[in-house]
Structures are given as structure tokens and as C-alpha cells.
Amino acid sequence: QVQLAESGGGSVQAGGSLRLSCAASGRTFSSRVMAWFRQAPGKERTVVAHIIWSNSDITYYAPSVKGRFTISRDNTKNTVYLQMNSLKPEDTAVYYCANMPQGSSSYDYWGQGTQVTVSS
């Protein structure tokens, strides 16, 4: 089992920045991929970015956030970060951290989510 706890959400004006954190506990050594998803009201949950736990050089970004968001991880703290710059109103959503364990092809563990609101 892996437990995930997000923090760092809040309200900012367009053009501002926020940094989300996801602290993992439990069987973190079995992590394969860590990801950030988001879900806006009335829309599906979509992936924002992901990072390979064993190799932080391997990352993916959704086209809508590439160049503005940066995912990173600190293995010593079992924490994944999402640095969000140049925020836009369309970035407003609940952001979720997710974990894909070794041997799995799906995100089996999820955090409770943190709200990000960007005003124009």
C-alpha cells in the first residue's frame, strides 16, 4: 500500500505560480511512476505530468502545460513536486497525485486532491 498526501494548492492570479507537493508513505520503494492529474468541474480527470521514480530524467507533460509546469521528485523525502508557473484560468482544477507501482500498468493509489484556482 502507498499513501499519498498533496499540499500546496491555493488561489492565485493569472501569471502567478504555485508549487504542489505530494508526500508518499508506505511501500514507496515499489513505485514505478508518479503522476499529477487534474480535474476541472464537469470535465474528466486528465494527466498533467508524470515522472519515472527511478529515473527523474524521464518525464512527460501534457501539451497544455509543457514549458510552464515542471515535475520533480526527491527520493530522500519520498516527495513529488509540481512547479506551476505562468498559471492561466484554465489551469483551475483539483489536482491529484497518483502512484503506479512496479508490475502495474495503472495508477493504483491516489491522493485526496488539492484545489488550484486561478483568477483572471
Side-chain angles (χ1 to χ4, degrees), residues 32-34 49-61 66 70-75:
R32 177 183 170 197
V33 184
M34 293 290 292
H50 77 225
I51 189 167
I52 303 301
W53 190 250
S54 62
N55 186 344
S56 61
D57 290 334
I58 302 175
T59 58
Y60 163 82
Y61 295 94
K66 196 169 186 178
T70 302
I71 189 170
S72 62
R73 62 107 172 89
D74 184 337
N75 281 3

Short mmCIF file of all heavy atoms in Angstrom, two decimals, residues 32-34 49-61 66 70-75:
data_model
loop_
_atom_site.label_atom_id
_atom_site.label_comp_id
_atom_site.label_asym_id
_atom_site.label_seq_id
_atom_site.Cartn_x
_atom_site.Cartn_y
_atom_site.Cartn_z
N ARG A 32 6.76 2.85 -9.49
CA ARG A 32 7.27 2.83 -10.86
C ARG A 32 7.14 4.22 -11.49
O ARG A 32 8.08 4.75 -12.04
CB ARG A 32 6.49 1.83 -11.69
CG ARG A 32 6.90 1.77 -13.15
CD ARG A 32 6.01 0.78 -13.90
NE ARG A 32 6.20 0.86 -15.33
CZ ARG A 32 5.35 0.36 -16.21
NH1 ARG A 32 4.25 -0.26 -15.80
NH2 ARG A 32 5.59 0.44 -17.49
N VAL A 33 5.96 4.80 -11.39
CA VAL A 33 5.68 6.12 -11.96
C VAL A 33 4.88 6.93 -10.95
O VAL A 33 4.00 6.40 -10.28
CB VAL A 33 4.85 6.02 -13.26
CG1 VAL A 33 4.66 7.41 -13.88
CG2 VAL A 33 5.51 5.08 -14.26
N MET A 34 5.20 8.20 -10.87
CA MET A 34 4.40 9.14 -10.09
C MET A 34 3.86 10.19 -11.04
O MET A 34 4.57 10.64 -11.95
CB MET A 34 5.24 9.80 -9.00
CG MET A 34 5.71 8.85 -7.92
SD MET A 34 4.36 8.28 -6.86
CE MET A 34 3.92 9.80 -6.01
N ALA A 49 1.27 15.60 -15.77
CA ALA A 49 2.69 15.27 -15.91
C ALA A 49 2.96 13.98 -15.17
O ALA A 49 2.24 13.62 -14.23
CB ALA A 49 3.56 16.39 -15.36
N HIS A 50 4.03 13.28 -15.59
CA HIS A 50 4.46 12.13 -14.81
C HIS A 50 5.98 12.04 -14.84
O HIS A 50 6.65 12.63 -15.68
CB HIS A 50 3.76 10.84 -15.27
CG HIS A 50 4.30 10.23 -16.53
ND1 HIS A 50 3.47 9.76 -17.53
CD2 HIS A 50 5.55 9.95 -16.96
CE1 HIS A 50 4.20 9.26 -18.51
NE2 HIS A 50 5.46 9.37 -18.18
N ILE A 51 6.50 11.28 -13.89
CA ILE A 51 7.94 11.12 -13.74
C ILE A 51 8.22 9.68 -13.34
O ILE A 51 7.48 9.09 -12.55
CB ILE A 51 8.49 12.13 -12.70
CG1 ILE A 51 10.01 12.14 -12.67
CG2 ILE A 51 7.92 11.86 -11.31
CD1 ILE A 51 10.58 13.32 -11.90
N ILE A 52 9.28 9.13 -13.91
CA ILE A 52 9.69 7.78 -13.55
C ILE A 52 10.42 7.85 -12.21
O ILE A 52 11.36 8.63 -12.04
CB ILE A 52 10.60 7.16 -14.63
CG1 ILE A 52 9.88 7.16 -15.98
CG2 ILE A 52 11.02 5.75 -14.22
CD1 ILE A 52 8.58 6.39 -15.98
N TRP A 53 9.98 7.05 -11.27
CA TRP A 53 10.51 7.15 -9.91
C TRP A 53 12.00 6.86 -9.86
O TRP A 53 12.74 7.50 -9.13
CB TRP A 53 9.77 6.18 -9.00
CG TRP A 53 10.05 6.37 -7.55
CD1 TRP A 53 10.75 5.53 -6.73
CD2 TRP A 53 9.66 7.48 -6.74
NE1 TRP A 53 10.80 6.06 -5.46
CE2 TRP A 53 10.14 7.25 -5.44
CE3 TRP A 53 8.96 8.66 -6.99
CZ2 TRP A 53 9.93 8.14 -4.40
CZ3 TRP A 53 8.75 9.55 -5.94
CH2 TRP A 53 9.23 9.28 -4.67
N SER A 54 12.48 5.91 -10.66
CA SER A 54 13.89 5.51 -10.61
C SER A 54 14.78 6.36 -11.51
O SER A 54 16.00 6.27 -11.42
CB SER A 54 14.02 4.05 -11.00
OG SER A 54 13.57 3.85 -12.32
N ASN A 55 14.18 7.17 -12.36
CA ASN A 55 14.96 7.99 -13.28
C ASN A 55 14.22 9.30 -13.53
O ASN A 55 13.34 9.37 -14.38
CB ASN A 55 15.19 7.25 -14.59
CG ASN A 55 16.12 8.00 -15.53
OD1 ASN A 55 16.38 9.19 -15.35
ND2 ASN A 55 16.62 7.31 -16.53
N SER A 56 14.60 10.32 -12.80
CA SER A 56 13.88 11.59 -12.89
C SER A 56 14.09 12.31 -14.22
O SER A 56 13.44 13.32 -14.49
CB SER A 56 14.30 12.51 -11.75
OG SER A 56 15.69 12.78 -11.83
N ASP A 57 15.01 11.79 -15.06
CA ASP A 57 15.20 12.40 -16.37
C ASP A 57 14.06 12.06 -17.33
O ASP A 57 13.91 12.68 -18.38
CB ASP A 57 16.52 11.94 -16.99
CG ASP A 57 17.72 12.51 -16.26
OD1 ASP A 57 17.58 13.59 -15.66
OD2 ASP A 57 18.78 11.87 -16.29
N ILE A 58 13.29 11.05 -16.98
CA ILE A 58 12.19 10.61 -17.84
C ILE A 58 10.90 11.22 -17.31
O ILE A 58 10.40 10.84 -16.26
CB ILE A 58 12.09 9.08 -17.88
CG1 ILE A 58 13.41 8.49 -18.38
CG2 ILE A 58 10.95 8.65 -18.79
CD1 ILE A 58 13.45 6.97 -18.34
N THR A 59 10.39 12.17 -18.07
CA THR A 59 9.17 12.87 -17.68
C THR A 59 8.25 13.01 -18.88
O THR A 59 8.67 12.85 -20.03
CB THR A 59 9.48 14.28 -17.13
OG1 THR A 59 10.18 15.02 -18.13
CG2 THR A 59 10.32 14.21 -15.87
N TYR A 60 7.00 13.32 -18.58
CA TYR A 60 6.00 13.59 -19.62
C TYR A 60 5.19 14.79 -19.17
O TYR A 60 4.89 14.93 -17.97
CB TYR A 60 5.08 12.39 -19.82
CG TYR A 60 3.81 12.76 -20.57
CD1 TYR A 60 3.81 12.85 -21.95
CD2 TYR A 60 2.65 13.08 -19.87
CE1 TYR A 60 2.66 13.24 -22.62
CE2 TYR A 60 1.50 13.47 -20.53
CZ TYR A 60 1.51 13.55 -21.91
OH TYR A 60 0.38 13.95 -22.57
N TYR A 61 4.81 15.63 -20.12
CA TYR A 61 3.93 16.76 -19.83
C TYR A 61 2.80 16.81 -20.85
O TYR A 61 3.03 16.59 -22.05
CB TYR A 61 4.71 18.08 -19.89
CG TYR A 61 5.77 18.21 -18.83
CD1 TYR A 61 7.09 17.85 -19.09
CD2 TYR A 61 5.44 18.66 -17.56
CE1 TYR A 61 8.06 17.95 -18.11
CE2 TYR A 61 6.42 18.77 -16.57
CZ TYR A 61 7.72 18.41 -16.86
OH TYR A 61 8.68 18.51 -15.88
N LYS A 66 3.15 22.09 -20.98
CA LYS A 66 4.57 21.98 -21.31
C LYS A 66 5.20 23.36 -21.44
O LYS A 66 4.64 24.24 -22.08
CB LYS A 66 4.75 21.19 -22.61
CG LYS A 66 6.16 20.69 -22.84
CD LYS A 66 6.20 19.70 -23.98
CE LYS A 66 7.60 19.09 -24.11
NZ LYS A 66 7.64 18.09 -25.21
N THR A 70 6.70 22.05 -14.16
CA THR A 70 7.86 21.16 -14.02
C THR A 70 7.58 20.16 -12.91
O THR A 70 7.25 20.55 -11.78
CB THR A 70 9.13 21.95 -13.68
OG1 THR A 70 9.37 22.92 -14.70
CG2 THR A 70 10.33 21.00 -13.61
N ILE A 71 7.73 18.88 -13.25
CA ILE A 71 7.58 17.83 -12.25
C ILE A 71 8.96 17.39 -11.80
O ILE A 71 9.90 17.31 -12.61
CB ILE A 71 6.76 16.64 -12.81
CG1 ILE A 71 6.43 15.64 -11.70
CG2 ILE A 71 7.48 15.97 -13.97
CD1 ILE A 71 5.41 14.57 -12.13
N SER A 72 9.10 17.14 -10.53
CA SER A 72 10.37 16.68 -9.98
C SER A 72 10.10 15.80 -8.77
O SER A 72 8.97 15.74 -8.29
CB SER A 72 11.26 17.87 -9.59
OG SER A 72 10.64 18.63 -8.57
N ARG A 73 11.13 15.10 -8.32
CA ARG A 73 10.95 14.26 -7.14
C ARG A 73 12.21 14.27 -6.30
O ARG A 73 13.31 14.45 -6.81
CB ARG A 73 10.53 12.84 -7.56
CG ARG A 73 11.57 12.12 -8.41
CD ARG A 73 12.25 11.05 -7.64
NE ARG A 73 13.09 10.23 -8.44
CZ ARG A 73 14.38 10.49 -8.68
NH1 ARG A 73 14.92 11.59 -8.22
NH2 ARG A 73 15.11 9.66 -9.38
N ASP A 74 11.97 14.08 -5.01
CA ASP A 74 13.06 13.98 -4.04
C ASP A 74 12.92 12.62 -3.38
O ASP A 74 12.06 12.43 -2.52
CB ASP A 74 12.95 15.11 -3.02
CG ASP A 74 14.13 15.12 -2.04
OD1 ASP A 74 14.77 14.06 -1.86
OD2 ASP A 74 14.39 16.18 -1.45
N ASN A 75 13.75 11.67 -3.80
CA ASN A 75 13.64 10.32 -3.28
C ASN A 75 13.93 10.26 -1.77
O ASN A 75 13.38 9.42 -1.07
CB ASN A 75 14.59 9.39 -4.01
CG ASN A 75 14.04 8.98 -5.36
OD1 ASN A 75 12.98 9.43 -5.77
ND2 ASN A 75 14.76 8.12 -6.07
#
